[in-house]
Coordinates of all heavy atoms in Angstrom, one line a residue:
V1 N 47.3 24.2 129.7 CA 46.4 25.3 129.7 C 45.0 24.7 129.6 O 44.8 23.7 128.7 CB 46.6 26.1 128.4 CG1 45.5 27.3 128.3 CG2 48.0 26.8 128.4
A2 N 44.1 25.0 130.5 CA 42.7 24.5 130.5 C 41.8 25.7 130.1 O 42.0 26.8 130.5 CB 42.3 24.0 131.9
F3 N 40.7 25.4 129.4 CA 39.8 26.4 128.9 C 38.4 26.0 128.9 O 38.2 24.7 128.8 CB 40.2 26.9 127.6 CG 40.0 25.8 126.4 CD1 38.9 25.8 125.7 CD2 40.9 24.8 126.2 CE1 38.6 25.0 124.7 CE2 40.6 23.8 125.3 CZ 39.5 23.8 124.5
T4 N 37.5 26.8 128.9 CA 36.0 26.4 128.8 C 35.7 26.2 127.4 O 35.7 27.1 126.5 CB 35.1 27.7 129.4 OG1 35.5 27.9 130.7 CG2 33.7 27.2 129.3
K5 N 35.3 24.9 127.1 CA 34.9 24.5 125.8 C 33.4 24.9 125.5 O 32.9 25.2 124.4 CB 35.0 23.0 125.6 CG 34.5 22.4 124.4 CD 34.7 20.8 124.3 CE 34.2 20.3 123.1 NZ 34.4 18.8 122.9
G6 N 32.6 24.8 126.6 CA 31.1 25.2 126.6 C 30.5 24.7 127.8 O 31.2 24.1 128.7
P7 N 29.1 24.9 128.0 CA 28.3 25.7 127.1 C 28.5 27.1 127.4 O 29.2 27.5 128.3 CB 26.9 25.1 127.6 CG 27.1 24.8 129.0 CD 28.4 24.3 129.1
G8 N 27.9 28.0 126.5 CA 27.9 29.4 126.6 C 27.7 30.1 125.4 O 27.2 29.5 124.4
L9 N 28.1 31.3 125.3 CA 27.9 32.2 124.0 C 29.0 31.8 123.0 O 30.2 31.9 123.4 CB 28.0 33.6 124.3 CG 26.9 34.2 125.3 CD1 27.2 35.7 125.6 CD2 25.5 33.9 124.7
M10 N 28.7 31.4 121.8 CA 29.7 30.9 120.9 C 30.8 31.9 120.7 O 32.0 31.6 120.6 CB 29.0 30.6 119.5 CG 29.9 29.7 118.7 SD 30.7 28.4 119.5 CE 30.6 27.1 118.2
G11 N 30.4 33.2 120.4 CA 31.5 34.2 120.2 C 32.4 34.4 121.3 O 33.7 34.4 121.1
S12 N 31.9 34.3 122.5 CA 32.8 34.4 123.8 C 33.6 33.1 123.9 O 34.8 33.3 124.2 CB 31.9 34.5 124.9 OG 31.2 35.8 124.9
L13 N 33.0 32.0 123.7 CA 33.8 30.7 123.8 C 35.0 30.7 122.8 O 36.1 30.2 123.1 CB 32.9 29.5 123.6 CG 31.8 29.3 124.6 CD1 30.8 28.2 124.2 CD2 32.5 28.8 126.0
L14 N 34.7 31.2 121.7 CA 35.7 31.1 120.6 C 37.0 31.9 121.0 O 38.1 31.5 120.6 CB 35.2 31.6 119.2 CG 34.2 30.7 118.5 CD1 33.6 31.4 117.3 CD2 35.0 29.5 118.1
V15 N 36.7 33.1 121.7 CA 37.9 33.8 122.0 C 38.8 33.0 123.0 O 40.0 33.0 122.8 CB 37.4 35.2 122.7 CG1 38.7 35.9 123.2 CG2 36.7 36.1 121.6
G16 N 38.2 32.5 124.1 CA 38.9 31.7 125.0 C 39.6 30.5 124.4 O 40.7 30.1 124.7
T17 N 38.8 29.8 123.6 CA 39.3 28.6 123.0 C 40.5 28.8 122.0 O 41.6 28.2 122.1 CB 38.2 27.9 122.2 OG1 37.1 27.5 123.0 CG2 38.7 26.6 121.5
S18 N 40.4 29.8 121.2 CA 41.5 30.2 120.4 C 42.8 30.6 121.0 O 43.9 30.2 120.7 CB 41.0 31.3 119.3 OG 39.9 30.9 118.6
F19 N 42.6 31.4 122.0 CA 43.8 31.9 122.9 C 44.4 30.6 123.5 O 45.6 30.5 123.5 CB 43.3 32.9 123.9 CG 44.5 33.4 124.6 CD1 45.1 34.7 124.2 CD2 44.9 32.8 125.9 CE1 46.2 35.1 124.9 CE2 45.9 33.4 126.5 CZ 46.5 34.5 126.1
A20 N 43.6 29.8 124.1 CA 44.2 28.7 124.8 C 44.9 27.7 123.9 O 46.0 27.2 124.2 CB 43.1 27.8 125.6
K21 N 44.3 27.4 122.8 CA 45.0 26.6 121.8 C 46.3 27.2 121.3 O 47.3 26.4 121.2 CB 44.0 26.3 120.6 CG 42.7 25.4 120.9 CD 41.7 25.5 119.8 CE 42.2 24.7 118.6 NZ 41.1 24.6 117.6
S22 N 46.3 28.4 121.0 CA 47.5 29.1 120.5 C 48.6 29.1 121.5 O 49.8 28.8 121.3 CB 47.2 30.5 120.1 OG 46.2 30.5 119.1
L23 N 48.3 29.3 122.9 CA 49.2 29.5 123.9 C 49.8 28.0 124.2 O 51.0 27.9 124.3 CB 48.5 29.9 125.2 CG 49.5 30.1 126.4 CD1 50.6 31.1 126.1 CD2 48.7 30.7 127.6
A24 N 48.9 27.0 124.2 CA 49.4 25.6 124.5 C 50.3 25.1 123.3 O 51.4 24.5 123.6 CB 48.3 24.7 124.6
F25 N 49.9 25.5 122.2 CA 50.8 25.1 120.9 C 52.1 25.8 121.0 O 53.1 25.2 120.7 CB 50.0 25.4 119.7 CG 50.6 25.1 118.4 CD1 50.6 23.7 118.0 CD2 51.4 25.9 117.7 CE1 51.2 23.3 116.8 CE2 52.1 25.6 116.5 CZ 52.0 24.3 116.0

């Protein structure tokens, strides 16, 4: 699973980051 770490809006990035980490785990 690949995801955008940044740059961008922090709140938006957190949604994608959290989802990707959970799915990969």
Side-chain angles (χ1 to χ4, degrees):
V1 179
F3 70 97
T4 302
K5 176 181 177 179
L9 301 175
M10 191 50 139
S12 295
L13 290 168
L14 285 172
V15 176
T17 301
S18 300
F19 183 90
K21 289 169 70 172
S22 300
L23 183 60
F25 183 80

